């Protein structure tokens, strides 16, 4: 059997507002815009909730609870502080402000306009480079992040 993961789709109440948010704040690039369905480069898509439920269930369904805490949209950026500043200008509910996670990565958690849980984090390569620039040894960075020492050395050399 050949089944291939191609991306995630979230249902949104205002496709234009959500598209603007994911483009302007989260830096996603639109690959396809079919009106009620927008696909971004990399496989992430938005679908206008009313249209989606009509197509899938052949009837409208009630909107979900305000927050969806059973899954998370995950994004990475080397410019985490800059994106966090853009988030401050948006009407998003911050759950956890920018903080260092136990494995050393910086991340922020928030809800998008439709209550989807979103995490924005620095990639592990940036985490390792930050740690090393602050004087941490490669061995200590490997222990803190849980990465193999070979991966830490690869990130250090990049």
């Amino acid at each position: 059997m050949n089944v291939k993961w191609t991306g995630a789709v979230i249902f949104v109440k205002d496709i234009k507002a959500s598209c603007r948010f994911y483009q302007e704040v989260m830096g996603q690039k639109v690959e396809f815009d079919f009106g009620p369905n927008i696909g971004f480069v990399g496989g992430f898509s938005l679908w206008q909730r009313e249209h989606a439920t009509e197509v899938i269930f052949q009837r409208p369904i009630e909107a979900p609870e305000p927050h969806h805490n059973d899954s998370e949209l995950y994004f990475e950026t080397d410019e985490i502080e800059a994106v966090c500043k853009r988030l401050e200008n948006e009407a998003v509910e911050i759950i956890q402000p920018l903080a260092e996670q136990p494995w050393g990565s910086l991340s922020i958690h928030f809800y998008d306009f439709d209550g989807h849980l979103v995490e924005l984090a620095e990639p592990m390569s940036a985490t390792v480079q930050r740690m090393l620039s602050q004087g941490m040894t490669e061995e200590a960075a490997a222990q803190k992040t849980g990465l193999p020492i070979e991966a830490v050395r690869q990130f250090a050399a990049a």
Side-chain angles (χ1 to χ4, degrees), residues 42-56:
F44 172 60
S45 299
L46 306 174
W47 202 349
Q48 180 71 40
R49 180 178 292 120
E50 293 80 14
H51 181 72
T53 60
E54 285 288 334
V55 170
I56 294 168

PDB file of all heavy atoms in Angstrom, residues 42-56:
ATOM      1  N   GLY A  42       4.079  23.903   0.788  1.00  0.00           N
ATOM      2  CA  GLY A  42       4.451  23.018   1.888  1.00  0.00           C
ATOM      3  C   GLY A  42       3.324  22.108   2.344  1.00  0.00           C
ATOM      4  O   GLY A  42       3.535  21.216   3.149  1.00  0.00           O
ATOM      5  N   GLY A  43       2.103  22.333   1.866  1.00  0.00           N
ATOM      6  CA  GLY A  43       1.019  21.406   2.159  1.00  0.00           C
ATOM      7  C   GLY A  43       0.007  21.827   3.194  1.00  0.00           C
ATOM      8  O   GLY A  43      -0.947  21.096   3.448  1.00  0.00           O
ATOM      9  N   PHE A  44       0.149  22.993   3.792  1.00  0.00           N
ATOM     10  CA  PHE A  44      -0.808  23.480   4.781  1.00  0.00           C
ATOM     11  C   PHE A  44      -1.941  24.190   4.040  1.00  0.00           C
ATOM     12  O   PHE A  44      -1.692  24.966   3.118  1.00  0.00           O
ATOM     13  CB  PHE A  44      -0.096  24.446   5.739  1.00  0.00           C
ATOM     14  CG  PHE A  44      -0.989  25.167   6.690  1.00  0.00           C
ATOM     15  CD1 PHE A  44      -1.776  24.471   7.586  1.00  0.00           C
ATOM     16  CD2 PHE A  44      -1.030  26.548   6.698  1.00  0.00           C
ATOM     17  CE1 PHE A  44      -2.602  25.140   8.470  1.00  0.00           C
ATOM     18  CE2 PHE A  44      -1.844  27.228   7.580  1.00  0.00           C
ATOM     19  CZ  PHE A  44      -2.627  26.522   8.471  1.00  0.00           C
ATOM     20  N   SER A  45      -3.215  23.904   4.405  1.00  0.00           N
ATOM     21  CA  SER A  45      -4.353  24.494   3.700  1.00  0.00           C
ATOM     22  C   SER A  45      -5.422  24.996   4.651  1.00  0.00           C
ATOM     23  O   SER A  45      -5.564  24.504   5.772  1.00  0.00           O
ATOM     24  CB  SER A  45      -4.996  23.456   2.774  1.00  0.00           C
ATOM     25  OG  SER A  45      -4.083  23.017   1.799  1.00  0.00           O
ATOM     26  N   LEU A  46      -6.193  25.957   4.167  1.00  0.00           N
ATOM     27  CA  LEU A  46      -7.367  26.485   4.860  1.00  0.00           C
ATOM     28  C   LEU A  46      -8.593  26.143   4.037  1.00  0.00           C
ATOM     29  O   LEU A  46      -8.553  26.146   2.814  1.00  0.00           O
ATOM     30  CB  LEU A  46      -7.288  28.021   4.981  1.00  0.00           C
ATOM     31  CG  LEU A  46      -6.048  28.621   5.614  1.00  0.00           C
ATOM     32  CD1 LEU A  46      -6.102  30.150   5.505  1.00  0.00           C
ATOM     33  CD2 LEU A  46      -5.924  28.186   7.056  1.00  0.00           C
ATOM     34  N   TRP A  47      -9.711  25.893   4.731  1.00  0.00           N
ATOM     35  CA  TRP A  47     -10.959  25.626   4.049  1.00  0.00           C
ATOM     36  C   TRP A  47     -12.049  26.382   4.794  1.00  0.00           C
ATOM     37  O   TRP A  47     -12.174  26.255   6.017  1.00  0.00           O
ATOM     38  CB  TRP A  47     -11.248  24.123   4.065  1.00  0.00           C
ATOM     39  CG  TRP A  47     -12.191  23.639   2.999  1.00  0.00           C
ATOM     40  CD1 TRP A  47     -12.969  24.381   2.173  1.00  0.00           C
ATOM     41  CD2 TRP A  47     -12.461  22.276   2.662  1.00  0.00           C
ATOM     42  NE1 TRP A  47     -13.693  23.589   1.335  1.00  0.00           N
ATOM     43  CE2 TRP A  47     -13.405  22.279   1.623  1.00  0.00           C
ATOM     44  CE3 TRP A  47     -12.020  21.064   3.144  1.00  0.00           C
ATOM     45  CZ2 TRP A  47     -13.906  21.117   1.057  1.00  0.00           C
ATOM     46  CZ3 TRP A  47     -12.522  19.909   2.572  1.00  0.00           C
ATOM     47  CH2 TRP A  47     -13.447  19.931   1.538  1.00  0.00           C
ATOM     48  N   GLN A  48     -12.823  27.178   4.052  1.00  0.00           N
ATOM     49  CA  GLN A  48     -13.944  27.911   4.641  1.00  0.00           C
ATOM     50  C   GLN A  48     -14.885  26.891   5.285  1.00  0.00           C
ATOM     51  O   GLN A  48     -15.354  25.967   4.628  1.00  0.00           O
ATOM     52  CB  GLN A  48     -14.673  28.724   3.566  1.00  0.00           C
ATOM     53  CG  GLN A  48     -15.843  29.528   4.070  1.00  0.00           C
ATOM     54  CD  GLN A  48     -15.408  30.711   4.909  1.00  0.00           C
ATOM     55  OE1 GLN A  48     -14.435  31.379   4.581  1.00  0.00           O
ATOM     56  NE2 GLN A  48     -16.103  30.968   5.993  1.00  0.00           N
ATOM     57  N   ARG A  49     -15.125  27.036   6.594  1.00  0.00           N
ATOM     58  CA  ARG A  49     -15.864  26.038   7.370  1.00  0.00           C
ATOM     59  C   ARG A  49     -17.213  25.687   6.740  1.00  0.00           C
ATOM     60  O   ARG A  49     -17.542  24.507   6.581  1.00  0.00           O
ATOM     61  CB  ARG A  49     -16.079  26.510   8.809  1.00  0.00           C
ATOM     62  CG  ARG A  49     -16.847  25.477   9.649  1.00  0.00           C
ATOM     63  CD  ARG A  49     -17.037  25.909  11.091  1.00  0.00           C
ATOM     64  NE  ARG A  49     -15.754  25.924  11.777  1.00  0.00           N
ATOM     65  CZ  ARG A  49     -15.219  27.000  12.334  1.00  0.00           C
ATOM     66  NH1 ARG A  49     -15.836  28.143  12.314  1.00  0.00           N
ATOM     67  NH2 ARG A  49     -14.052  26.921  12.926  1.00  0.00           N
ATOM     68  N   GLU A  50     -18.023  26.672   6.376  1.00  0.00           N
ATOM     69  CA  GLU A  50     -19.367  26.392   5.839  1.00  0.00           C
ATOM     70  C   GLU A  50     -19.291  25.586   4.549  1.00  0.00           C
ATOM     71  O   GLU A  50     -20.065  24.666   4.331  1.00  0.00           O
ATOM     72  CB  GLU A  50     -20.146  27.695   5.599  1.00  0.00           C
ATOM     73  CG  GLU A  50     -20.492  28.441   6.851  1.00  0.00           C
ATOM     74  CD  GLU A  50     -19.330  29.270   7.414  1.00  0.00           C
ATOM     75  OE1 GLU A  50     -18.313  29.494   6.708  1.00  0.00           O
ATOM     76  OE2 GLU A  50     -19.428  29.670   8.588  1.00  0.00           O
ATOM     77  N   HIS A  51     -18.345  25.937   3.693  1.00  0.00           N
ATOM     78  CA  HIS A  51     -18.176  25.210   2.438  1.00  0.00           C
ATOM     79  C   HIS A  51     -17.709  23.771   2.698  1.00  0.00           C
ATOM     80  O   HIS A  51     -18.235  22.820   2.112  1.00  0.00           O
ATOM     81  CB  HIS A  51     -17.175  25.944   1.539  1.00  0.00           C
ATOM     82  CG  HIS A  51     -16.950  25.277   0.226  1.00  0.00           C
ATOM     83  ND1 HIS A  51     -17.897  25.268  -0.777  1.00  0.00           N
ATOM     84  CD2 HIS A  51     -15.893  24.579  -0.250  1.00  0.00           C
ATOM     85  CE1 HIS A  51     -17.433  24.592  -1.810  1.00  0.00           C
ATOM     86  NE2 HIS A  51     -16.205  24.167  -1.510  1.00  0.00           N
ATOM     87  N   ALA A  52     -16.747  23.625   3.595  1.00  0.00           N
ATOM     88  CA  ALA A  52     -16.214  22.296   3.908  1.00  0.00           C
ATOM     89  C   ALA A  52     -17.289  21.367   4.442  1.00  0.00           C
ATOM     90  O   ALA A  52     -17.389  20.211   4.020  1.00  0.00           O
ATOM     91  CB  ALA A  52     -15.068  22.414   4.921  1.00  0.00           C
ATOM     92  N   THR A  53     -18.094  21.857   5.382  1.00  0.00           N
ATOM     93  CA  THR A  53     -19.114  20.988   5.967  1.00  0.00           C
ATOM     94  C   THR A  53     -20.214  20.653   4.969  1.00  0.00           C
ATOM     95  O   THR A  53     -20.761  19.554   5.007  1.00  0.00           O
ATOM     96  CB  THR A  53     -19.707  21.605   7.259  1.00  0.00           C
ATOM     97  OG1 THR A  53     -20.296  22.867   6.960  1.00  0.00           O
ATOM     98  CG2 THR A  53     -18.637  21.751   8.323  1.00  0.00           C
ATOM     99  N   GLU A  54     -20.524  21.581   4.069  1.00  0.00           N
ATOM    100  CA  GLU A  54     -21.509  21.278   3.013  1.00  0.00           C
ATOM    101  C   GLU A  54     -20.975  20.172   2.091  1.00  0.00           C
ATOM    102  O   GLU A  54     -21.708  19.263   1.729  1.00  0.00           O
ATOM    103  CB  GLU A  54     -21.840  22.527   2.192  1.00  0.00           C
ATOM    104  CG  GLU A  54     -22.742  23.510   2.889  1.00  0.00           C
ATOM    105  CD  GLU A  54     -24.175  23.030   3.017  1.00  0.00           C
ATOM    106  OE1 GLU A  54     -24.641  22.214   2.199  1.00  0.00           O
ATOM    107  OE2 GLU A  54     -24.850  23.500   3.959  1.00  0.00           O
ATOM    108  N   VAL A  55     -19.710  20.259   1.714  1.00  0.00           N
ATOM    109  CA  VAL A  55     -19.119  19.269   0.815  1.00  0.00           C
ATOM    110  C   VAL A  55     -18.974  17.920   1.520  1.00  0.00           C
ATOM    111  O   VAL A  55     -19.345  16.880   0.975  1.00  0.00           O
ATOM    112  CB  VAL A  55     -17.747  19.761   0.294  1.00  0.00           C
ATOM    113  CG1 VAL A  55     -17.009  18.651  -0.439  1.00  0.00           C
ATOM    114  CG2 VAL A  55     -17.928  20.970  -0.611  1.00  0.00           C
ATOM    115  N   ILE A  56     -18.450  17.922   2.732  1.00  0.00           N
ATOM    116  CA  ILE A  56     -18.156  16.664   3.425  1.00  0.00           C
ATOM    117  C   ILE A  56     -19.408  16.015   4.004  1.00  0.00           C
ATOM    118  O   ILE A  56     -19.637  14.816   3.830  1.00  0.00           O
ATOM    119  CB  ILE A  56     -17.114  16.900   4.537  1.00  0.00           C
ATOM    120  CG1 ILE A  56     -15.776  17.315   3.907  1.00  0.00           C
ATOM    121  CG2 ILE A  56     -16.936  15.657   5.397  1.00  0.00           C
ATOM    122  CD1 ILE A  56     -14.762  17.846   4.895  1.00  0.00           C
TER     123      ILE A  56
END
